[in-house]
Structure formats: C-alpha cells, structure tokens
Amino acid sequence: MEVSFGYTAAVPLAVDGGTLHVQGFIDRLDRATVGLVVRDFKTGKQKAREETDVDPVVDAQIALYALVAPGLMGGEKVARAAYIYPVAAGDAERAFEGAELEDLLRRAREWFGLARELLAARSFPHTADAKRCNYCAFQAVCGTDGAAVSQRKLAAAAPSSVAARFAAIQRATEADDAD
Ligand code: SF4
C-alpha cells in the first residue's frame, strides 16, 4: 500500500544527536512474513549497488522511509528496503536487507543527525560537487561556479564544525562516484 507520513503533523524521527521531524510519501509499504518491505519506484536508470555503494545522495530517501516505517506499522521491523526501476525485461532493484540494511540505517541516522544540526544552526551549505547543480532550479541564483565557491567555504570551515563534517560526507560520496 502507498503510505503518507507527517501530514498534518511532521513525524519525529530519532537520529544521531536528537530528533528530526519529517514528512513524505512511501510508494509501497507491505507486510511480508520476514517483516516490512519498503519500496520506492524510480523512472531513471538503475543505480547498481556496485557502482555507488551506499551513497547519501542516492540512498537517503529509501533510508528515511525504512527508518520511518516501523513507527507507521506498530513497531514491526523492516526486512527489506529497495528502489525499483521498472523495465520491460523485469524490474531491476537497488535493495538493502540484513546487515547491509542495518549499515544503511546506521549511516542514515548519521546523515539525518547532521541535517538536524545544520537546521538547528540555520546553516545551509551548498554542494561542493558541480554535478549536483546540473538539474538544480537555483543555478540562476548560484551562478556557474556555485559549487566551487561552496568548496572553498567548506575547506575553510573549522575541522570539528558541522560544515566540515558535511564536507567530509560529500568528499566520501565523490570518491565513491569516481571509483
Ligand atoms: S546550483 Fe546552487 S543550490 Fe543548486 S545544487 Fe548547485 S550550489 Fe546547490
């Protein structure tokens, strides 16, 4: 079944360091014998796990749904979370289960914990990865060098600051993309 959450009051989600309030729509949330199965349907090209490993840019959405789902279904555990890429030859998946799912959720609590800190600090650092700007509606505001400007600012951030930790996650993602 399709499930919405956080309407009309955002759902409190436990993340590293505190609580983040979230809302959204889960394409499919089903009870299977092994536990809950969370699915999100994508129209783009499949991002295979080998290509990008765990990537906050790609995986934050399905991770959020997997973190929220137990609270919507009486505390039942999520057994599998996956993006589905419908194709004529059979639907391809980018799926997490078992230890990989646990690792994804652990990382996601870190990502969203960082987001919580950035929100609390009213700090909204831009990406330092120019590829992220390709389809962004704010290009007219940021200019063609928005990511480069952000990279310089993030490089100058104090090492233990939340901005520096945000930059570290970005660097790890870029390194994975380059592999
Ligand atoms: S154009 Fe600006 S807001 Fe958009 S992704 Fe790039 S740096 Fe971020």
Side-chain angles (χ1 to χ4, degrees), residues 7 14-15 21 23 36 44 48 64 94 96 103 106 108 115-116 118 126 135 140 146 153 156 162 165 172 175:
Y7 301 93
V15 297
H21 292 81
Q23 58 184 190
L36 299 177
L64 173 65
R94 178 181 174 86
F96 299 85
D103 181 56
R106 179 188 59 75
R116 186 197 66 81
L118 289 167
H126 292 210
Y135 302 104
K153 287 183 181 173
V162 64
R165 283 183 282 135

Short mmCIF file of all heavy atoms in Angstrom, two decimals, residues 7 14-15 21 23 36 44 48 64 94 96 103 106 108 115-116 118 126 135 140 146 153 156 162 165 172 175:
data_model
loop_
_atom_site.label_atom_id
_atom_site.label_comp_id
_atom_site.label_asym_id
_atom_site.label_seq_id
_atom_site.Cartn_x
_atom_site.Cartn_y
_atom_site.Cartn_z
N TYR A 7 1.72 14.12 7.77
CA TYR A 7 0.63 15.04 7.43
C TYR A 7 -0.53 14.77 8.38
O TYR A 7 -0.93 13.62 8.50
CB TYR A 7 0.17 14.85 5.98
CG TYR A 7 1.29 15.08 4.99
CD1 TYR A 7 2.08 14.01 4.54
CD2 TYR A 7 1.58 16.36 4.53
CE1 TYR A 7 3.11 14.23 3.64
CE2 TYR A 7 2.62 16.57 3.63
CZ TYR A 7 3.37 15.51 3.19
OH TYR A 7 4.40 15.72 2.30
N ALA A 14 14.03 9.62 15.45
CA ALA A 14 15.26 9.61 16.25
C ALA A 14 16.46 9.48 15.33
O ALA A 14 16.57 8.53 14.55
CB ALA A 14 15.23 8.45 17.24
N VAL A 15 17.36 10.46 15.38
CA VAL A 15 18.59 10.44 14.57
C VAL A 15 19.76 10.70 15.51
O VAL A 15 19.56 11.00 16.70
CB VAL A 15 18.53 11.50 13.46
CG1 VAL A 15 17.39 11.21 12.49
CG2 VAL A 15 18.38 12.92 14.05
N HIS A 21 12.16 16.15 12.47
CA HIS A 21 10.74 16.00 12.13
C HIS A 21 10.60 15.91 10.62
O HIS A 21 11.11 16.77 9.90
CB HIS A 21 9.93 17.15 12.73
CG HIS A 21 9.88 17.10 14.23
ND1 HIS A 21 10.89 17.56 15.03
CD2 HIS A 21 8.95 16.57 15.07
CE1 HIS A 21 10.59 17.34 16.30
NE2 HIS A 21 9.43 16.74 16.35
N GLN A 23 8.35 14.41 6.89
CA GLN A 23 7.09 14.05 6.24
C GLN A 23 7.39 13.57 4.82
O GLN A 23 8.44 13.92 4.26
CB GLN A 23 6.11 15.23 6.21
CG GLN A 23 6.63 16.44 5.52
CD GLN A 23 5.67 17.63 5.61
OE1 GLN A 23 5.88 18.60 4.93
NE2 GLN A 23 4.64 17.57 6.42
N LEU A 36 8.67 -5.98 7.35
CA LEU A 36 8.17 -4.95 6.43
C LEU A 36 9.05 -4.86 5.20
O LEU A 36 10.28 -5.02 5.27
CB LEU A 36 8.16 -3.59 7.14
CG LEU A 36 7.27 -3.49 8.38
CD1 LEU A 36 7.41 -2.10 9.02
CD2 LEU A 36 5.80 -3.76 8.03
N GLY A 44 14.19 6.64 -13.52
CA GLY A 44 15.50 6.79 -14.16
C GLY A 44 16.23 5.47 -14.30
O GLY A 44 15.69 4.39 -14.04
N ALA A 48 23.15 0.69 -9.77
CA ALA A 48 23.50 -0.59 -9.17
C ALA A 48 24.34 -0.37 -7.92
O ALA A 48 25.11 0.58 -7.84
CB ALA A 48 24.27 -1.42 -10.19
N LEU A 64 15.35 6.92 4.70
CA LEU A 64 14.36 7.64 5.51
C LEU A 64 13.08 6.83 5.63
O LEU A 64 12.53 6.67 6.73
CB LEU A 64 14.06 9.01 4.88
CG LEU A 64 12.91 9.79 5.53
CD1 LEU A 64 13.26 10.17 6.97
CD2 LEU A 64 12.56 11.02 4.73
N ARG A 94 17.57 -1.75 -6.48
CA ARG A 94 18.72 -1.36 -5.66
C ARG A 94 18.24 -1.62 -4.24
O ARG A 94 17.49 -0.83 -3.67
CB ARG A 94 19.06 0.12 -5.88
CG ARG A 94 20.23 0.64 -5.04
CD ARG A 94 20.47 2.11 -5.31
NE ARG A 94 21.48 2.67 -4.42
CZ ARG A 94 22.80 2.64 -4.63
NH1 ARG A 94 23.27 2.06 -5.72
NH2 ARG A 94 23.63 3.19 -3.77
N PHE A 96 18.39 -3.26 -0.12
CA PHE A 96 19.15 -3.44 1.13
C PHE A 96 18.38 -4.39 2.03
O PHE A 96 17.18 -4.22 2.25
CB PHE A 96 19.32 -2.10 1.86
CG PHE A 96 20.08 -1.07 1.08
CD1 PHE A 96 19.43 -0.26 0.16
CD2 PHE A 96 21.45 -0.91 1.26
CE1 PHE A 96 20.14 0.70 -0.56
CE2 PHE A 96 22.16 0.03 0.55
CZ PHE A 96 21.50 0.83 -0.37
N ASP A 103 23.46 -1.42 8.13
CA ASP A 103 24.52 -0.44 7.87
C ASP A 103 23.93 0.83 7.24
O ASP A 103 24.30 1.95 7.61
CB ASP A 103 25.57 -1.06 6.94
CG ASP A 103 26.70 -0.10 6.66
OD1 ASP A 103 27.33 0.38 7.62
OD2 ASP A 103 26.97 0.19 5.46
N ARG A 106 22.17 2.79 9.97
CA ARG A 106 23.15 3.43 10.86
C ARG A 106 23.70 4.70 10.20
O ARG A 106 23.77 5.75 10.81
CB ARG A 106 24.28 2.44 11.17
CG ARG A 106 25.37 2.99 12.07
CD ARG A 106 26.56 2.05 12.18
NE ARG A 106 27.18 1.77 10.89
CZ ARG A 106 27.96 2.61 10.23
NH1 ARG A 106 28.20 3.82 10.72
NH2 ARG A 106 28.48 2.28 9.07
N ALA A 108 22.33 6.40 7.79
CA ALA A 108 21.26 7.38 7.58
C ALA A 108 20.98 8.17 8.86
O ALA A 108 20.73 9.37 8.81
CB ALA A 108 19.99 6.67 7.11
N ALA A 115 21.93 16.68 9.30
CA ALA A 115 20.90 17.59 8.78
C ALA A 115 20.21 18.32 9.94
O ALA A 115 19.93 19.52 9.86
CB ALA A 115 19.87 16.81 7.96
N ARG A 116 19.95 17.58 11.03
CA ARG A 116 19.32 18.20 12.20
C ARG A 116 20.19 19.32 12.76
O ARG A 116 19.71 20.40 13.07
CB ARG A 116 19.07 17.13 13.27
CG ARG A 116 18.30 17.58 14.49
CD ARG A 116 18.47 16.60 15.64
NE ARG A 116 19.84 16.59 16.12
CZ ARG A 116 20.37 17.47 16.96
NH1 ARG A 116 19.62 18.47 17.42
NH2 ARG A 116 21.63 17.39 17.33
N LEU A 118 22.51 21.03 11.14
CA LEU A 118 22.57 22.15 10.19
C LEU A 118 21.31 23.00 10.29
O LEU A 118 21.37 24.22 10.29
CB LEU A 118 22.73 21.61 8.76
CG LEU A 118 24.10 21.02 8.43
CD1 LEU A 118 24.05 20.25 7.12
CD2 LEU A 118 25.17 22.11 8.34
N HIS A 126 26.02 24.83 0.57
CA HIS A 126 25.73 24.33 -0.77
C HIS A 126 26.64 23.15 -1.07
O HIS A 126 27.65 22.93 -0.41
CB HIS A 126 25.98 25.43 -1.81
CG HIS A 126 25.01 26.55 -1.71
ND1 HIS A 126 24.62 27.30 -2.78
CD2 HIS A 126 24.34 27.05 -0.65
CE1 HIS A 126 23.75 28.21 -2.40
NE2 HIS A 126 23.57 28.08 -1.11
N TYR A 135 20.74 19.77 -12.48
CA TYR A 135 19.28 19.87 -12.62
C TYR A 135 18.67 20.75 -11.53
O TYR A 135 17.48 20.67 -11.25
CB TYR A 135 18.66 18.47 -12.57
CG TYR A 135 19.21 17.57 -13.65
CD1 TYR A 135 20.14 16.58 -13.35
CD2 TYR A 135 18.82 17.74 -14.97
CE1 TYR A 135 20.66 15.76 -14.35
CE2 TYR A 135 19.34 16.94 -15.98
CZ TYR A 135 20.26 15.95 -15.66
OH TYR A 135 20.78 15.16 -16.66
N ALA A 140 20.45 29.77 -11.48
CA ALA A 140 20.43 31.19 -11.85
C ALA A 140 20.85 32.05 -10.67
O ALA A 140 21.40 33.15 -10.84
CB ALA A 140 19.03 31.59 -12.31
N GLY A 146 28.83 28.03 -8.41
CA GLY A 146 28.27 27.86 -7.07
C GLY A 146 28.95 26.76 -6.28
O GLY A 146 29.28 26.93 -5.10
N LYS A 153 34.53 27.58 0.69
CA LYS A 153 33.99 27.90 2.02
C LYS A 153 34.09 26.69 2.95
O LYS A 153 34.47 26.82 4.12
CB LYS A 153 32.52 28.35 1.92
CG LYS A 153 32.35 29.73 1.34
CD LYS A 153 30.87 30.09 1.36
CE LYS A 153 30.64 31.45 0.76
NZ LYS A 153 29.22 31.76 0.61
N ALA A 156 37.45 25.96 4.29
CA ALA A 156 37.90 26.89 5.32
C ALA A 156 37.18 26.69 6.65
O ALA A 156 37.50 27.34 7.66
CB ALA A 156 37.69 28.33 4.84
N VAL A 162 30.13 21.47 12.10
CA VAL A 162 29.13 20.68 11.38
C VAL A 162 29.34 20.83 9.87
O VAL A 162 29.15 19.89 9.10
CB VAL A 162 27.70 21.07 11.83
CG1 VAL A 162 27.37 22.49 11.49
CG2 VAL A 162 26.68 20.12 11.23
N ARG A 165 31.99 18.43 8.77
CA ARG A 165 31.50 17.04 8.72
C ARG A 165 30.61 16.84 7.49
O ARG A 165 30.64 15.78 6.87
CB ARG A 165 30.77 16.70 10.02
CG ARG A 165 31.76 16.42 11.17
CD ARG A 165 31.06 16.01 12.43
NE ARG A 165 30.49 17.17 13.09
CZ ARG A 165 29.27 17.23 13.61
NH1 ARG A 165 28.48 16.18 13.56
NH2 ARG A 165 28.84 18.31 14.20
N ALA A 172 33.41 11.82 0.59
CA ALA A 172 33.30 10.36 0.52
C ALA A 172 32.40 9.95 -0.64
O ALA A 172 32.67 8.99 -1.36
CB ALA A 172 32.75 9.82 1.84
N ALA A 175 34.24 10.45 -3.91
CA ALA A 175 35.26 9.41 -4.11
C ALA A 175 34.60 8.12 -4.61
O ALA A 175 35.11 7.47 -5.52
CB ALA A 175 36.00 9.15 -2.81
#
